[in-house]
Amino acid sequence: MFVVKVSTQGGVGSLHALSFGIVMDLQWCPRKPDNFITWSQEISLYQVEDIDPLRPKQSTFKLSETRAASLVAKIVDLAFPKVVDGYPGNDAEGMIAVGLANGKVVLTSFGSTIISKEFVPKHPRQVNDLAWNKYSPNLLAAALDKARSDYAVAIWDVAASSKLVNGFHSDALRPAIELGNSETAHSIAWVQSKTLLVGMNGKHIRHYDLRDSQPKLGSTASTKAIYGICVDGSNRVASYADNQVFVWDIRNFEKPFVCINHAKPIVKIGWSPTRSGLLACLEKESSFITLHDVHHATLSTEEGDPTVLERRLTPVYSAETPTAGGFTALSAFSWHPAEENLITTVTLAGYLRNSTVFERVTLNWSSTSKLGWSNGKKIIQFIDNTDGIYATLDDISIKMKYRANAGYGLKTSLKDNARFVEEDVDLLTLWEWLDYCRILTDKEKYRPSVPLKSDVIHNNSFEMHSSKTYRSEERAFAQQICGWGSDLNDLSGSSTRRAALSLFHLKLRQAIRILNESGHSIIGMAIAGFSDEKNSLWREMAQTSCPNLDDPYVRAIFAFLTEADTSYETILNEKGLSVADRVGFACSFLSDSKLVTFLQELTNEMVKTGNLDGILLTGMTPQAIPLLQRYLDITGDVQTVSLLAIRTMAADIPSSPQLQFWIERYRELLDSWKLWEQRAEFDIVKNTNNPLLISPPEVTISCNFCGKNISPAGFGGLNRSNQLFNRFTTTNAKVKSSCCPSCRKPLPRCAICLLHMGTILASATEPIFDPHKTGTSPEALSWYTWCQTCRHGGHTAHLQQWFQNQIECPVTGCSCKCMTLDKVIDFPV
Amino acid sequence: MSSTIAVTTIDTGHEDMIHDAQMDFLGTKLATCSCDKSIRLFDVNLTTGSQNFVTDLKGHEGPVWQLAWAHPRFGNLLASCSYDRRVIIWKEREGGKWENEHTYDGHDSSVNSVCWAPPEWGLMLACGSSDSSITVISCIENRWVHTKIANAHTLGCNAVSWAPAASSVGSGSGDVQPVRKFVSGGCDNLVKIWKEENEQWVEDVKLEGHSDWVRDVAWAPSAGTTRMKIASSSQDRRVIIWNNTEDGAWVPEALHVFEDVVWHVSWNFVGDVLAVSGGDNQVSLWKKQESGNWECISDSAKTQQQQQPQDHRTL
């Protein structure tokens, strides 16, 4: 025996894939997860390590982007090794069994240069298969070719006779068990420590039980698939012949439960050691491994083959790997014994590559914005909104949660809500505008007159071309809503907007002055050169350069000055101008009929695009619902539309299922975020704005004697919100009844002070507790409360005081532990 | 950007492949299920993000494929489905004890998918099985009632997903009674929409577009929007978004052709970002851009994934 030790500095070659030479087969070492063996004429041991990108080793073979292998040792003088199996025990690391063409089975190790043991059969013939028993690692089984009056299966107990010594004595040990006289064994596999499967004579798989001293033949499957027997778990077995793979259940061995047909003859099969039910199959001269997920085989009782989930794994070899006819034909593969679903393949030319078979990745996005997926067998990973990825998603729900937390939409003044949405100009403008409108409409109740009738004013006094403007009360009011107040000195916005608006009010000089003052003197100068002459050079230049200007208001200025007719389409359709300005402009320059058409078209367009500026046209009326729906469809911002609904359209809620739907969704959203307080505040605002939305009380307090509701009679309807809690409140001056309104019998007494329910709590004016500490409002302290179990109760303040020091109910003889009955759950926020 | 990725990793302690992980409505509970036949429950601490193992639910005799939490208004209810042909509904009793509330064993083969209906419909559950049928299980007056759709998908149903409750409100029509609907995908390469009509479940639409098994379907949640979308993923490596047009038709839109089978699709809460997991072990996020194309907005998750196998080794 001759083992070549290879020094790691010795090799030549690059870090790229390098041929390992001819490789017949390979196997990962069962006990050393970073070592593997390849064999053909010689047997080589490789060590795998992570590639250090900073110091790439020259002598390594790249297995993947991160891993490389280097040759550690070689065994060169064994004559024709046919099969190799790594020893699965702990005690002799690196030991391998090698089956030779002459029937010898040699135990050797890369660690020593000496044969530890040699098993020689009586008649020389080829060793077809070898299998160490991983449950009892001292047992080695060999499957041999046929020989007259000799056995086909030999099982040795390597620990039986002598210890594994490093001395040279090739004592040809006798096998412990022999099976199958004058028969052929093609492949062999251990099921458990004492049971064995052997594919024999080209026609059956035998299941041997070796637990007794006399081997017993268990069940036999008649099949031609006698090659490559391998076991998964305790019952599942696979074998192949030609281009068919069979999967068996050992408990029902008469017929296979799955039969898989392949296009080409099978070369090798193997179960994944890290995942049950995953079988890899390699066809002859193919560039891929077929994976069968037998778990997914259906339990179908119907006739026909059950379906097995099939996948294909094509190892990605680098471009410099030699290919045969355009593809890299594989010669063998080996599963890694421990690393999840790692499979190593080798090509006919001896190039190796690691591939991972990925499992089904489950994936779920929870309502709380957590995205979770499985990673491998046991690991679940999550990202949530604290993750950087979420920022790139621009997930509206994160924005909404943040805004809800801050109190968006619930501020008393509509305008104050704008500061929560400062980053969103449309929303900001909308809240400010709504506030403006509220003030405006509060000031003067305006009822538009239909149809529109306006006075036409011919502005001949104007410095420019004679233009027609229109005036009416309605137009003026509309312009006011658009922020086109009559005072031109009070304009807001950019200087160009102010200049444009001045011009639209036919104040050319003022426009020029504004431009000059704000550093736009060039534009001011250009405008100053205005000429009404139809064919003037100024007009020509202005018209050609106008579309190239960046500022929409400057474009509008030139468009206004050069407009040939009075349709003003360039300005009215200028998307860069705010909707308010376009409407304001239209109100000045369009005739009644044109104005109505324009507004209708603009409204339609706004609704279609979900542009919030269109609220200007629809108002917060049911007409705005389609627009808001469109906005919602585009942005997913159910928060803003719900808030707008309760703040400005509360009266329409009962009649609009859409509004109700938004509100419900938003409340659900707040629920899922556990923003209970914000939801309560939302409900309060909603119900204050429309008391009809208050749901009827679900609980009433009934008299102990007559069973009638003790709430004041005649109560209900619109004003109940004010009275809802009054009956419990004793702090206000109202005379409270301490008896049932129906039968005049007294109400229950407080268990502490023995006064009737409804009587004034003596100490209520001076709270016993610091209300901030207990979290209870002073009013609530004087309410009557009772235990849901023993039905005893009293004033809240009294009971709180009692239960600070006591566990049991204050009523004599009652041992109810009222306070501990209710599970108080602290929800983290 | 990778520096900002804050991935929480949970070792579920399962002995074999995880098949599903579901967070409840409030995000306080996590349930996982596995090939090892068990379901494991965890409490999630929202402030720290840590999770504590609570209990495991044993009762299935095969791999557990999928889980679904019912809406909290019904209490803590978890549905699970398994290779053992059964659907089990688990309920948390007083004192945090989990019990088998109901077992449905009316399927002849593996049950692959469970999904609770929107809470507006009450306690109602759809489950799809390899025996080609779908069952709708509902709790009416404290009794569990089963309605079976035979031959829903030839060769088997792989996934079910409910339409949001109000999907028919707001399409302008107003007071129309909302119709209960769900979508399913199966081994017949089809995506089918089912609707309830006179207390019977009937096929509403059949969507043809995939050329291999449909692995997952996901009806986009509606946060108040009227847009209806369904995502379907398939063995044919494609993800298709089915958009409901105003006239009620479903128009397919190809999201992407992936390198390998696409296992799962899942929408975010608002229904505008789709997460996709594929056979190449990558998770990617897709959002419709203003240009109208679906674009992968994040592949950071997948670089995470690729690095992960090495972390395994050190674990």
Side-chain angles (χ1 to χ4, degrees):
Chain A
M1 171 66 51
F2 183 63
V3 176
V4 180
K5 288 270 179 193
V6 180
S7 101
T8 43
Q9 283 84 35
V12 225
S14 71
L15 195 57
H16 300 290
L18 193 94
S19 175
F20 288 68
I22 302 299
V23 174
M24 219 166 71
D25 205 347
L26 80 160
Q27 188 189 44
W28 283 93
C29 296
R31 281 287 156 191
K32 288 186 84 181
D34 50 356
N35 284 13
F36 67 88
I37 310 159
T38 66
W39 63 92
S40 51
Q41 287 291 351
E42 47 192 37
I43 305 168
S44 311
L45 177 74
Y46 291 89
Q47 164 88 33
V48 179
E49 49 201 54
D50 289 347
I51 295 173
D52 184 346
L54 300 175
R55 290 181 290 114
K57 284 188 191 160
Q58 286 301 298
S59 58
T60 54
F61 309 96
K62 203 169 165 184
L63 290 175
S64 68
E65 295 316 304
T66 52
R67 244 52 101 64
S70 51
L71 182 62
V72 178
K74 261 185 188 179
I75 297 169
V76 293
D77 62 343
L78 285 173
F80 306 112
K82 298 296 289 183
V83 280
V84 177
D85 200 17
Y87 178 64
N90 282 324
D91 47 346
E93 227 172 52
M95 184 168 80
I96 55 169
V98 185
L100 305 177
N102 61 7
K104 273 191 197 169
V105 174
V106 175
L107 290 190
T108 183
S109 160
F110 288 98
S112 82
T113 55
I114 301 142
I115 295 175
S116 305
K117 254 173 206 174
E118 200 173 82
F119 305 116
V120 186
K122 278 186 282 189
H123 298 88
R125 60 259 156 85
Q126 179 170 303
V127 179
N128 288 324
D129 201 2
L130 274 179
W132 286 102
N133 188 327
K134 64 174 174 176
Y135 306 99
S136 322
N138 54 318
L139 293 181
L140 173 67
L144 298 135
D145 262 352
K146 187 174 173 174
R148 183 188 294 268
S149 69
D150 201 352
Y151 292 92
V153 176
I155 297 160
W156 292 280
D157 185 344
V158 296
S161 56
S162 61
K163 279 200 286 180
L164 297 170
V165 279
N166 283 346
F168 181 94
H169 51 106
S170 63
D171 46 349
L173 283 172
R174 290 291 309 153
I177 300 163
E178 287 175 307
L179 303 163
N181 198 355
S182 306
E183 291 184 287
T184 312
H186 306 278
S187 70
I188 196 160
W190 292 94
V191 182
Q192 271 152 7
S193 64
K194 294 280 185 185
T195 49
L196 186 71
L197 287 171
V198 193
M200 296 181 93
N201 306 327
K203 59 185 182 197
H204 45 238
I205 299 176
R206 286 191 187 148
H207 187 198
Y208 286 103
D209 187 339
L210 313 177
R211 278 172 292 195
D212 289 340
S213 53
Q214 199 60 38
K216 264 200 305 216
L217 178 61
S219 45
T220 301
S222 293
T223 175
K224 61 180 170 44
I226 35 89
Y227 299 103
I229 297 175
C230 49
V231 183
D232 180 39
S234 49
N235 300 312
R236 209 162 7 216
V237 175
S239 66
Y240 71 87
D242 301 331
N243 50 7
Q244 277 189 315
V245 175
F246 292 98
V247 181
W248 313 81
D249 188 320
I250 217 160
R251 294 163 297 188
N252 183 15
F253 213 26
E254 286 84 49
K255 62 175 192 151
F257 78 88
V258 177
C259 169
I260 306 154
N261 289 309
H262 281 259
K264 288 189 269 188
I266 310 291
V267 178
K268 187 173 181 176
I269 61 174
W271 294 104
S272 164
T274 57
R275 148 83 146 82
S276 60
L278 189 64
L279 181 70
C281 301
L282 175 63
E283 293 172 19
K284 196 176 176 185
E285 285 167 4
S286 73
S287 61
F288 56 86
I289 303 249
T290 315
L291 298 158
H292 301 287
D293 194 345
V294 181
H295 254 315
H296 287 266
T298 55
L299 295 169
S300 173
T301 48
E302 295 157 37
E303 286 300 307
D305 289 338
T307 27
V308 176
L309 194 65
E310 187 182 300
R311 287 168 67 192
R312 193 171 274 196
L313 175 84
T314 310
V316 186
Y317 281 92
S318 60
E320 56 259 52
T321 311
T323 55
F327 76 105
T328 40
L330 304 176
S331 68
F333 68 87
S334 173
W335 288 103
H336 192 278
E339 206 161 305
E340 256 177 52
N341 292 353
L342 179 73
I343 197 166
T344 305
T345 50
V346 60
T347 66
L348 290 172
Y351 291 89
L352 276 92
R353 187 77 191 168
N354 275 354
S355 309
T356 307
V357 179
F358 294 114
E359 288 291 348
R360 188 165 74 145
V361 180
T362 183
L363 182 73
N364 284 300
W365 213 323
S366 82
S367 52
T368 44
S369 302
K370 273 192 175 229
L371 175 66
W373 65 87
S374 59
N375 189 341
K377 235 182 193 177
K378 310 193 290 181
I379 307 293
I380 297 280
Q381 290 185 314
F382 282 99
I383 52 166
D384 58 19
N385 49 35
T386 57
D387 193 286
I389 291 173
Y390 242 95
T392 61
L393 290 187
D394 195 27
D395 189 333
I396 184 78
S397 60
I398 302 307
K399 251 188 229 170
M400 289 196 284
K401 188 175 179 182
Y402 174 78
R403 289 172 182 171
N405 242 326
Y408 171 53
L410 301 174
K411 296 282 172 226
T412 323
S413 160
L414 287 169
K415 199 174 184 170
D416 289 345
N417 295 305
R419 72 183 160 90
F420 300 105
V421 287
E422 271 166 349
E423 71 278 10
D424 193 328
V425 181
D426 285 349
L427 287 180
L428 181 90
T429 326
L430 180 62
W431 285 106
E432 284 179 344
W433 179 79
L434 285 173
D435 191 65
Y436 171 74
C437 283
R438 177 157 289 182
I439 297 164
L440 205 64
T441 46
D442 281 352
K443 232 174 356 193
E444 43 182 317
K445 291 281 172 233
Y446 188 76
R447 291 267 170 277
S449 65
V450 177
L452 191 62
K453 213 164 173 179
S454 312
D455 305 322
V456 184
I457 303 162
H458 294 275
N459 302 284
N460 292 325
S461 56
F462 178 48
E463 303 98 320
M464 17 194 294
H465 58 81
S466 60
S467 62
K468 257 194 281 185
T469 51
Y470 300 83
R471 285 270 177 280
S472 76
E473 221 184 310
E474 293 86 359
R475 285 172 186 259
F477 185 70
Q479 283 187 324
Q480 225 179 341
I481 291 176
C482 296
W484 279 39
S486 43
D487 188 2
L488 279 179
N489 297 318
D490 197 23
L491 292 172
S492 61
S494 66
S495 56
T496 48
R497 175 177 183 263
R498 282 185 283 130
L501 256 62
S502 304
L503 187 67
F504 298 157
H505 283 87
L506 309 179
K507 302 272 192 289
L508 182 59
R509 281 181 190 283
Q510 186 182 340
I512 294 168
R513 186 170 48 77
I514 292 171
L515 288 170
N516 284 344
E517 280 168 6
S518 59
H520 292 91
S521 46
I522 303 284
I523 301 167
M525 219 153 68
I527 297 172
F530 162 70
S531 153
D532 206 9
E533 190 69 36
K534 288 270 186 263
N535 299 318
S536 70
L537 180 64
W538 182 90
R539 180 176 288 262
E540 196 186 318
M541 290 313 294
Q543 265 171 339
T544 46
S545 57
C546 178
N548 303 328
L549 296 166
D550 287 336
D551 190 321
Y553 283 95
V554 178
R555 280 204 300 272
I557 289 172
F558 282 105
F560 182 72
L561 292 173
T562 58
E563 195 70 55
D565 51 32
T566 54
S567 65
Y568 299 108
E569 274 179 12
T570 334
I571 299 169
L572 293 173
N573 298 328
E574 172 62 63
K575 297 276 195 301
L577 301 190
S578 74
V579 173
D581 288 340
R582 283 157 73 189
V583 173
F585 183 85
C587 286
S588 274
F589 294 96
L590 289 187
S591 65
D592 286 353
S593 62
K594 274 188 181 164
L595 179 62
V596 172
T597 323
F598 168 74
L599 290 180
Q600 249 154 16
E601 278 170 8
L602 189 63
T603 311
N604 291 344
E605 187 200 318
M606 291 291 130
V607 171
K608 220 167 121 188
T609 52
N611 188 335
L612 287 181
D613 291 343
I615 299 286
L616 180 78
L617 299 164
T618 62
M620 289 311 289
T621 62
Q623 274 187 307
I625 295 176
L627 189 149
L628 289 173
Q629 182 69 59
R630 188 74 197 122
Y631 166 77
L632 176 58
D633 285 353
I634 293 166
T635 60
D637 184 4
V638 69
Q639 179 179 45
T640 299
V641 295
S642 304
L643 290 168
L644 288 174
I646 64 158
R647 292 305 299 266
T648 59
M649 297 169 79
D652 298 313
I653 296 172
S655 60
S656 166
Q658 245 164 311
L659 294 184
Q660 292 163 19
F661 177 52
W662 298 343
I663 289 167
E664 276 317 303
R665 286 297 107 143
Y666 183 50
R667 291 176 77 234
E668 194 172 282
L669 213 56
L670 291 172
D671 280 348
S672 76
W673 293 330
K674 289 182 282 300
L675 296 176
W676 316 119
E677 281 174 34
Q678 282 81 351
R679 204 202 76 183
E681 277 174 37
F682 178 86
D683 285 347
I684 291 167
V685 172
K686 172 176 68 111
N687 297 345
T688 318
N689 287 346
N690 189 349
L692 285 172
L693 296 170
I694 299 171
S695 47
E698 288 167 4
V699 180
T700 55
I701 300 168
S702 62
C703 169
N704 267 341
F705 298 97
C706 66
K708 287 196 179 124
N709 185 354
I710 62 158
S711 307
F715 138 114
L718 290 176
N719 54 350
R720 71 185 151 188
S721 62
N722 295 328
Q723 299 184 353
L724 194 54
F725 292 110
N726 280 0
R727 61 181 182 272
F728 302 117
T729 317
T730 49
T731 44
N732 64 15
K734 272 187 196 166
V735 179
K736 296 304 296 181
S737 171
S738 60
C739 59
C740 168
S742 308
C743 65
R744 316 306 292 176
K745 295 251 175 63
L747 296 176
R749 296 165 188 269
C750 167
I752 312 277
C753 68
L754 301 180
L755 292 175
H756 289 287
M757 183 176 153
T759 47
I760 290 159
L761 177 60
S763 53
T765 44
E766 300 163 44
I768 315 155
F769 301 99
D770 179 3
H772 299 292
K773 216 164 160 184
T774 58
T776 319
S777 71
E779 290 82 20
L781 284 174
S782 58
W783 289 352
Y784 197 84
T785 188
W786 62 95
C787 169
Q788 297 292 315
T789 305
C790 68
R791 307 276 167 179
H792 297 130
H795 295 109
T796 307
H798 294 154
L799 291 176
Q800 276 193 346
Q801 199 175 26
W802 174 267
F803 282 112
Q804 268 192 339
N805 306 314
Q806 309 289 332
I807 304 165
E808 288 186 0
C809 176
V811 173
T812 321
C814 178
S815 59
C816 177
K817 294 184 174 56
C818 317
M819 252 340 222
T820 52
L821 287 175
D822 281 334
K823 199 168 142 195
V824 180
I825 305 157
D826 287 322
F827 283 102
V829 181
Chain B
M1 198 174 76
S2 56
S3 60
T4 59
I5 295 175
V7 179
T8 316
T9 300
I10 301 173
D11 187 340
T12 58
H14 278 294
E15 286 158 24
D16 207 338
M17 196 56 212
I18 299 172
H19 288 300
D20 199 15
Q22 291 280 357
M23 200 73 108
D24 74 342
F25 181 73
L26 295 173
T28 53
K29 287 188 168 65
L30 170 72
T32 61
C33 65
S34 147
C35 236
D36 67 8
K37 305 171 189 175
S38 74
I39 297 162
R40 289 170 76 83
L41 297 179
F42 299 84
D43 268 343
V44 181
N45 184 326
L46 292 175
T47 34
T48 61
S50 64
Q51 54 285 314
N52 296 314
F53 171 71
V54 179
T55 185
D56 55 357
L57 309 179
K58 286 185 175 161
H60 280 297
E61 287 157 17
V64 188
W65 298 134
Q66 204 175 40
L67 301 168
W69 288 99
H71 192 275
R73 73 167 69 156
F74 304 108
N76 284 329
L77 242 71
L78 180 72
S80 62
C81 64
S82 162
Y83 184 68
D84 70 2
R85 315 167 192 205
R86 292 188 297 164
V87 173
I88 298 182
I89 295 165
W90 310 83
K91 191 183 174 84
E92 187 181 17
R93 305 271 177 210
E94 253 173 63
K97 223 170 104 68
W98 285 85
E99 277 174 15
N100 181 333
E101 159 82 14
H102 177 67
T103 302
Y104 174 66
D105 52 6
H107 281 291
D108 299 327
S109 186
S110 168
V111 185
N112 302 320
S113 181
V114 280
C115 184
W116 287 103
E120 287 83 348
W121 306 154
L123 266 182
M124 191 180 265
L125 179 81
C127 46
S129 163
S130 290
D131 68 2
S132 79
S133 69
I134 296 172
T135 307
V136 178
I137 305 171
S138 49
C139 187
I140 300 165
E141 289 161 0
N142 289 322
R143 270 183 346 108
W144 293 93
V145 182
H146 316 111
T147 321
K148 201 162 184 173
I149 309 171
N151 281 321
H153 289 277
T154 320
L155 291 175
C157 171
N158 293 327
V160 285
S161 173
W162 285 85
S167 57
S168 54
V169 176
S171 48
S173 38
D175 289 331
V176 181
Q177 194 62 34
V179 185
R180 300 170 185 186
K181 286 185 182 182
F182 67 88
V183 63
S184 64
C187 305
D188 51 3
N189 311 347
L190 292 174
V191 173
K192 289 182 179 181
I193 297 172
W194 307 88
K195 66 174 175 190
E196 198 184 39
E197 223 173 58
N198 307 322
E199 302 189 357
Q200 287 292 315
W201 287 93
V202 293
E203 187 179 308
D204 184 23
V205 191
K206 185 195 284 178
L207 304 175
E208 293 175 63
H210 287 293
S211 56
D212 205 338
W213 289 19
V214 178
R215 299 298 326 187
D216 201 7
V217 285
W219 201 307
S222 144
T225 59
T226 51
R227 299 167 297 174
M228 279 209 284
K229 283 196 297 273
I230 293 171
S232 63
S233 74
S234 160
Q235 202 84 11
D236 70 5
R237 304 181 290 127
R238 287 189 298 156
V239 170
I240 296 179
I241 309 288
W242 305 88
N243 294 297
N244 194 208
T245 59
E246 271 168 34
D247 55 0
W250 291 89
V251 179
E253 190 183 1
L255 181 100
H256 187 63
V257 182
F258 291 83
E259 296 289 310
D260 203 345
V261 41
V262 191
W263 294 121
H264 283 290
V265 282
S266 184
W267 293 99
N268 69 344
F269 198 39
V270 226
D272 63 348
V273 184
L274 185 73
V276 177
S277 77
D280 50 2
N281 210 31
Q282 296 182 348
V283 175
S284 52
L285 303 174
W286 298 78
K287 187 172 186 171
K288 192 166 191 158
Q289 303 299 313
E290 275 172 30
S291 61
N293 294 327
W294 286 87
E295 273 171 32
C296 180
I297 47 170
S298 165
D299 51 0
S300 306
K302 74 184 174 190
T303 48
Q304 270 290 315
Q305 287 274 319
Q306 281 168 346
Q307 286 156 12
Q308 209 53 41
Q310 277 160 50
D311 297 345
H312 274 304
R313 258 185 334 134
T314 55
L315 280 170

